Amino acid sequence: MISMNLSDIAQVTDGRLSPDADPAAVVTGPVEHDSRKVVGGALFVALVGDHADGHDFAARAVADGAVAVLGSRAVDAPSIVVDDVLVALGKLARAVIDRLDDLTVIGLTGSSGKTSTKDFLAHLCRALGPTVAPEGTLNNELGAPYTALKVDESTRYLVLEMSARHVGDLDYLTNIAPPDIGLALNVGIAHIGEFGSADAIARAKSELIAGIKPGGVAVLNADDPRVSAMRPLAPGRVVTFGTSPDADVRGVDVDTSSGLPRYTLTTATAAAPIALRLHGAHNVSNTLAAAAVAIELGMPVDVLAARASMPVSLSPRRMDVFTRADDITVIDDSYNANPDSMASAIDSLTTLGGAGRTIAVLGYMAELGDTEVAAHRELGRRAARAGVDIVIAVEDVAAPAAEAAAEAGADATAVADQAAAIAEVCRVARSGDTILVKGSRYRTWKVADYLHTEALTKEAHA
């Protein structure tokens, strides 16, 4: 974070300094809510969670080098006391952003692909200047300001992934970090249980476009009608991306047959071939979105194409493809799941499967509301139609996927938990197979971790 004294921080957060806090003391280090990560010069944020209260660790944080504590009640340490710590964190992030005239804020949202697009965009931006982006998925009312507070005077680009689970979420986040460039990837049915309809999801996502700074740029998916319909909300210029003929930044001659997409990036004035090092046809749209932003930032198309064709480090558990010593290929896409991302992952599985058998280990998809059973049954049917040989559905909520896959002709099994899924994989997998592991957060992580490190012994989980 930029250096700020406690008096300034108290002012911008509407806080009150404790009697033992020195108003002139300067925070020079990071803003941190995990006391184990506190370093000298830090500001410790005392959040109250379900299992721990940060105020209980305030004294320890100061002893470990924190200048002060940002909390909601008095503690035995120098502190700034506020009414709501999370709101104060957002106010502090906004104050820091407002003091950096050379900072460009890029906000992105979408029902799927946000984190991979964020990772790829940060990869492009780093070729242009110092860039801050979230590690993994830090995209809510805590993660966005926490990430924003990592910027300093040298930072040129702040890339923020912004997530919405309720109407008003993106309005709140764009008030913390008003984007100079706002990117809307797609509108699917992730979180439909919260919103009730795809149209309601689109309205929530459109808050990001409405929250762009006056004169800023909106980057919209020309291939998604609900995203294209956000154009009237843009406060400035609109740039489109996609494979549609009228997209401003377009992918043509798309080839996904190898699992590693290739296409020609085309604009009104230039074109260049791109050979992605990322698996999955869905990454055509994701990388075109990032490319459209990078072009707005001034990156020449030929330079962009060269960097886009380099290896990119994605956040963990996102299309992590590796081949084990026993010649079994694993696609670890287990970070999260919704109907759209499941469909993309199944397509990737059948593309990468080649001549061997394909096995899909599928956890349940969360937050689907009344569509839950129907969505899981459609998932099973889709897997069978795609030619997946073996479907293993993990936990009762995902069982309809196995039932529908079996009805459609696949070899399908429903298992009670991840331990049982591991045992089933050990029983059926053989050399030459390709295994996809995917599900909503945590629900298939143990399976993926086992496949990363362990031999498939039939006795291991009998």
Side-chain angles (χ1 to χ4, degrees), residues 28-53:
T28 58
V31 176
E32 185 54 66
H33 57 85
D34 184 340
S35 62
R36 296 167 296 183
K37 297 180 180 179
V38 165
V39 297
L43 176 69
F44 176 63
V45 180
L47 294 171
V48 179
D50 293 334
H51 305 293
D53 184 342

Side-chain angles (χ1 to χ4, degrees), residues 8-16 80-84 87-88 91:
D8 281 348
I9 295 173
Q11 182 177 9
V12 300
T13 59
D14 298 317
R16 305 173 299 280
I80 301 166
V81 181
V82 296
D83 294 333
D84 186 312
V87 170
K91 290 177 178 178

Side-chain angles (χ1 to χ4, degrees), residues 268-286:
T269 59
I274 288 179
L276 295 177
R277 304 291 290 273
L278 303 174
H279 288 87
H282 58 285
N283 276 314
V284 173
S285 182
N286 293 345

Side-chain angles (χ1 to χ4, degrees), residues 15-107:
R16 305 173 299 280
L17 288 174
S18 65
D20 56 346
D22 178 4
V26 178
V27 172
T28 58
V31 176
E32 185 54 66
H33 57 85
D34 184 340
S35 62
R36 296 167 296 183
K37 297 180 180 179
V38 165
V39 297
L43 176 69
F44 176 63
V45 180
L47 294 171
V48 179
D50 293 334
H51 305 293
D53 184 342
H55 297 83
D56 296 338
F57 303 92
R60 180 189 306 174
V62 171
D64 288 342
V67 176
V69 176
L70 181 67
S72 57
R73 65 171 188 265
V75 294
D76 187 20
S79 60
I80 301 166
V81 181
V82 296
D83 294 333
D84 186 312
V85 176
L86 207 53
V87 170
L89 191 69
K91 290 177 178 178
L92 179 58
R94 176 61 187 266
V96 168
I97 289 170
D98 286 347
R99 295 182 185 201
L100 297 175
D101 293 336
D102 294 329
L103 179 69
T104 296
V105 178
I106 305 153

Side-chain angles (χ1 to χ4, degrees), residues 334 336-338 342 360-366 376 379 391-399 401 418 421 436-445 447:
S334 62
N336 212 343
N338 59 58
M342 277 287 200
V361 181
L362 305 177
Y364 75 78
M365 299 177 289
H376 284 91
L379 170 62
V391 174
I392 302 170
V394 187
E395 298 191 19
D396 290 346
V397 179
Q418 294 191 68
L436 166 69
V437 183
K438 190 165 180 64
S440 286
R441 292 187 66 184
Y442 309 113
R443 302 301 180 174
T444 53
W445 288 15
V447 180

Side-chain angles (χ1 to χ4, degrees), residues 201-213:
I201 294 170
R203 286 193 292 273
K205 300 296 184 189
S206 71
E207 292 172 6
L208 185 141
I209 302 305
I212 295 171
K213 286 181 182 177

Side-chain angles (χ1 to χ4, degrees), residues 107-405:
L108 65 94
T109 194
S111 292
S112 60
K114 292 186 296 297
T115 302
S116 296
T117 304
K118 173 265 300 179
D119 290 338
F120 191 81
L121 178 55
H123 167 74
L124 296 179
C125 286
R126 290 186 180 109
L128 296 172
T131 299
V132 169
E135 297 178 5
T137 303
L138 294 173
N139 56 21
N140 59 12
E141 68 275 15
L142 171 59
Y146 174 76
T147 301
L149 285 166
K150 294 183 180 295
V151 300
D152 59 25
E153 291 86 353
S154 70
T155 309
R156 291 296 169 264
Y157 305 102
L158 171 61
V159 180
L160 288 177
E161 178 183 339
M162 296 181 174
S163 179
R165 279 185 165 80
H166 309 91
V167 172
D169 285 352
L170 293 182
D171 181 58
Y172 177 78
L173 293 180
T174 56
N175 273 297
I176 291 173
D180 297 282
I181 300 176
L183 165 61
L185 291 171
N186 46 55
V187 175
I189 59 173
H191 315 306
I192 199 167
E194 295 285 344
F195 290 102
S197 70
D199 287 339
I201 294 170
R203 286 193 292 273
K205 300 296 184 189
S206 71
E207 292 172 6
L208 185 141
I209 302 305
I212 295 171
K213 286 181 182 177
V217 178
V219 179
L220 303 180
N221 187 348
D223 299 334
D224 188 320
R226 286 191 172 92
V227 173
S228 296
M230 298 176 190
R231 178 183 286 266
L233 298 174
R237 195 160 49 84
V238 173
V239 173
T240 60
F241 68 91
T243 56
S244 298
D246 58 349
D248 298 314
V249 177
R250 186 159 57 106
V252 299
D253 300 327
V254 177
D255 180 2
T256 61
S257 59
S258 71
L260 293 170
R262 307 172 71 92
Y263 60 86
T264 300
L265 176 66
T266 304
T267 70
T269 59
I274 288 179
L276 295 177
R277 304 291 290 273
L278 303 174
H279 288 87
H282 58 285
N283 276 314
V284 173
S285 182
N286 293 345
T287 56
L288 283 170
V293 174
I295 290 168
E296 284 302 305
L297 296 176
M299 181 174 281
V301 167
D302 57 342
V303 174
L304 191 160
R307 189 159 179 85
S309 300
M310 296 177 180
V312 180
S313 178
L314 296 182
S315 297
R317 304 184 189 277
R318 291 168 177 83
M319 293 304 294
D320 178 10
V321 180
F322 59 95
T323 300
R324 295 163 43 94
D326 52 14
D327 198 32
I328 291 173
T329 299
V330 178
I331 306 170
D332 178 2
D333 197 33
S334 62
Y335 184 81
N336 212 343
N338 59 58
D340 294 326
S341 66
M342 277 287 200
S344 296
I346 287 170
D347 290 344
S348 296
L349 170 63
T350 55
T351 299
L352 291 173
R357 298 183 310 164
T358 52
I359 301 171
V361 181
L362 305 177
Y364 75 78
M365 299 177 289
E367 300 180 352
L368 294 177
D370 294 340
T371 70
E372 181 178 87
V373 173
H376 284 91
R377 287 189 60 80
E378 175 56 27
L379 170 62
R381 285 191 292 268
R382 184 181 184 99
R385 288 196 304 267
V388 175
D389 296 297
I390 299 171
V391 174
I392 302 170
V394 187
E395 298 191 19
D396 290 346
V397 179
E403 295 167 3

